[in-house]
Amino acid sequence: SAVISQKPSRDICQRGTSLTIQCQVDSQVTMMFWYRQQPGQSLTLIATANQGSEATYESGFVIDKFPISRPNLTFSTLTVSNMSPEDSSIYLCSVEEGSYTEAFFGQGTRLTVV
Amino acid sequence: AQSVAQPEDQVNVAEGNPLTVKCTYSVSGNPYLFWYVQYPNRGLQFLLKYITGDNLVKGSYGFEAEFNKSQTSFHLKKPSALVSDSALYFCAVRERGGSYIPTFGRGTSLIVHP
């Protein structure tokens, strides 16, 4: 099973600023995912990040707002840009090692924008 | 398209009593089914999965789930609830041979009363 270290665990940010969230995996994985979990709601996939290619964004999410880097098979970052209070949420990174295997998650980043 | 329904926002049970958290799914073909648990301020943790074979799946912390193809259900159960089981539970589905990306239910908050 993969162990994922995600940081920061939480942050309070001013509107209009940006925050970069880091996700480090203890093994090489092909596919990494970034999710948003708004209060009282389920997980919404933001994008899929594969090493060596641009991230694939889901409907409603754009690269200018949520730029993603995937420089190698163990690391990824998600930036939340030009933040507004509506961006207050928990952001989770996740990896999967095969189509029939479970997903592994980082501990999440609780973001509050004031 | 794949979807998951968790019909209960919250389940309340007394400690020592059996618990059930309901999940129904919809996929075009055969499913891979998963349960995850999320404790406060933590990421999701894998509990158990159904891939193929025996319809009764046993997982971590004494939890089990039964795959029922005719009812398209995958309810999570535990014979005797603990206060420490109180958390948010997510059911997820992925279609066999389909996308690597799972679809999550909206989550069910389990509250176990002493």
Side-chain angles (χ1 to χ4, degrees), chain A residues 5-10 20-24 34 75 107-109:
Chain A
S5 175
Q6 183 177 341
K7 56 183 181 182
S9 59
R10 60 177 61 228
T20 295
I21 302 168
Q22 299 181 2
C23 185
Q24 178 75 53
W34 288 97
F75 187 78
Q107 65 266 45
T109 297

Side-chain angles (χ1 to χ4, degrees), chain A residues 1-62:
Chain A
S1 63
V3 177
I4 304 172
S5 175
Q6 183 177 341
K7 56 183 181 182
S9 59
R10 60 177 61 228
D11 207 340
I12 301 173
C13 300
Q14 297 291 323
R15 66 178 67 200
T17 63
S18 299
L19 175 72
T20 295
I21 302 168
Q22 299 181 2
C23 185
Q24 178 75 53
V25 190
D26 69 342
S27 58
Q28 294 185 339
V29 293
T30 302
M31 305 183 73
M32 294 183 72
F33 305 90
W34 288 97
Y35 289 88
R36 182 173 71 185
Q37 183 182 17
Q38 294 180 306
Q41 297 189 24
S42 186
L43 282 69
T44 301
L45 182 65
I46 297 172
T48 302
N50 293 335
Q51 192 267 338
S53 62
E54 287 192 5
T56 303
Y57 289 83
E58 298 297 304
S59 176
F61 298 96
V62 295

Side-chain angles (χ1 to χ4, degrees), chain A residues 10 31 33 35 37 40-43 45 48 58 90 92 96 98-103 105-108 110, chain B residues 32 34 36 38 40-46 49 51 88 90 94 97-102 104-107:
Chain A
R10 60 177 61 228
M31 305 183 73
F33 305 90
Y35 289 88
Q37 183 182 17
Q41 297 189 24
S42 186
L43 282 69
L45 182 65
T48 302
E58 298 297 304
I90 298 173
L92 295 156
E96 294 178 16
S99 62
Y100 54 86
T101 62
E102 61 272 26
F105 288 84
Q107 65 266 45
R110 181 178 294 272
Chain B
Y32 296 140
F34 306 85
Y36 297 86
Q38 186 180 32
N41 301 312
R42 302 294 298 274
L44 276 68
Q45 298 176 30
F46 168 73
K49 64 183 176 184
I51 301 299
L88 191 57
F90 290 95
R94 190 193 289 134
S99 168
Y100 274 50
I101 301 171
F104 289 87
R106 64 179 182 176

